[in-house]
Every structure is written in C-alpha cells, then in structure tokens.
Amino acid sequence: MNTVRHRSTLLAIAGTALALSLTACQSDSGTKSSSAASPEVTVASSPAAAASKAGKGTGTFDAAGSTGSAGSAASKGSAGATGKQVSASTPVCTAGDVRITAARQDGPPYTHIVLTAKNTTGHSCRLPGFPHIQFLESHKQDVPAVAKSKPATPVVLSAGAPAYALVKLSDGGVDEDTEPVSAFSVMLESDSTVIAVTAPGSGGIAVDPAKALTGYWTPELRNGADDF
C-alpha cells in the first residue's frame, strides 16, 4: 500500500515537473518567438515605412515636381515659345497692307504733319522703323529720323489698327527756304515700293528740306514725347 502511494506520488511529481517543464519551454519558446518576431516586424515595417515614404516622395515628385513643375515650366515655356513664334511669325507690313494719309498738326504756322498708316488687311502685321520720306524731286535724300521717338517695343498693327509718325516740315520762320509740296513719296522700312501721299490742305504744305525731320512709327501720338 505504501509502495503504491509512493509510486503515485512520484508519478504525480514527475507529471507536475514535466508539465512545468513543458510550460516553461512553451513560455520560453513563445518569448523567443515573440522576441524573434519583433525584429522581423520592425525590419518589415521599416522597409515598408521607408518604401511608403519613398513612394510618397516619388509620388509627390512625379505629381508636383515632375508633372507639376515640369508641366508649369513647359506651360511657361510653351507660352514663351508661342509668344516668340507669334512675334516671329507676324509678317512685316508692306505697302499693300497699309493706307498712308497725311494731316496737319496744330495751327499756323503749320510746321508739322502727322502720317497715319492704317492696316487695311484682315491680319496683324509689324510696322518697324520710320517712314522713309522724300518731299521733293530735287531733294532725293530721305528725311532724317529722330532717334528719341523710337518706341520701346516693335509696333504690331492688328487688322484695322493705325500707327502714327510725326513729321517736321520747317521751323516756321518767315525767312526759311521752303518749297510748296502737294504730294510726296513714302516707303516703308521693309518694302521699297513707293507710296504716293497727298499733302494736306488746299495749297499743300511748305517744306524746308534742311529742317525736315520724321519720327518713328508709334501706336499713338504721345504729347511731348515726339517734340522736335
């Protein structure tokens, strides 16, 4: 009887020890597994986070940097290029594109006239430089241009738009060597075609070839800017 109880006790102790051992092993194994799993999770999450950040960075660069900035730059570039192309492709006005008329400026003595060049076409054209004027057959030199009247930007005439040039005829003195002019010739800077212009007034205009000057073509007559 004692022997049976002793064996039962031993078995119980052994079973308990085995159970404790297994529990310890499982606990230890779980701890090691958890410990081992933690670095794996950390390592796995770090590349994921890095990839996410990298991906986000790449996405931001592609959307805002590559597409946005480059797109904006391209858009600006296109606009700039388009502007240049438009400017470069706008044809220069020829004699057939404009109608030139003359009118007196101010009152007597009439020392100046205004030339108006109106675009008579259905498209825009550039009007560079100044009118090349010859008042008299006996005086073949072109009327000199006044540099200070040159506009800052090239004159582009849209369909139907005018440009102007102020022209000095004389100083208005009584003793000046003037000659009567009823018509005169004008040439555009880009075209050698001679345009005949009728002088304003019933008696024409009085021109002193030594005093005559012309301004550049401008979009409008600017008070005081073309004083000569």
Side-chain angles (χ1 to χ4, degrees), residues 59-78:
T60 303
F61 177 78
D62 287 342
S66 178
T67 307
S69 299
S72 298
S75 176
K76 290 178 182 177
S78 298

Side-chain angles (χ1 to χ4, degrees), residues 78-164:
S78 298
T82 302
K84 289 178 183 177
Q85 288 171 1
V86 167
S87 177
S89 64
T90 303
V92 176
C93 299
T94 64
D97 296 329
V98 297
R99 180 172 178 265
I100 298 179
T101 57
R104 286 178 173 173
Q105 188 194 45
D106 301 327
Y110 295 105
T111 58
H112 292 72
I113 60 172
V114 176
L115 294 185
T116 300
K118 184 177 181 181
N119 183 357
T120 58
T121 70
H123 59 79
S124 298
C125 65
R126 286 181 291 123
L127 189 63
F130 53 88
H132 293 258
I133 303 168
Q134 288 186 7
F135 281 117
L136 301 163
E137 284 292 331
S138 59
H139 198 84
K140 292 293 186 182
Q141 291 85 357
D142 287 352
V143 173
V146 178
K148 70 177 180 179
S149 67
K150 184 176 182 179
T153 57
V155 176
V156 177
L157 299 181
S158 57
Y164 306 94

Side-chain angles (χ1 to χ4, degrees), residues 200-218:
S202 56
I205 52 179
V207 179
D208 183 346
K211 304 292 179 62
L213 296 170
T214 182
Y216 279 71
W217 294 114
T218 56

Side-chain angles (χ1 to χ4, degrees), residues 13-82:
I13 292 171
T16 302
L18 180 61
L20 290 172
S21 175
L22 288 173
T23 302
C25 288
Q26 287 175 356
S27 175
D28 184 62
S29 174
T31 303
K32 288 182 180 179
S33 176
S34 298
S35 300
S38 294
E40 286 177 7
V41 171
T42 303
V43 171
S45 63
S46 294
S52 174
K53 290 179 182 177
K56 186 177 180 182
T58 304
T60 303
F61 177 78
D62 287 342
S66 178
T67 307
S69 299
S72 298
S75 176
K76 290 178 182 177
S78 298
T82 302

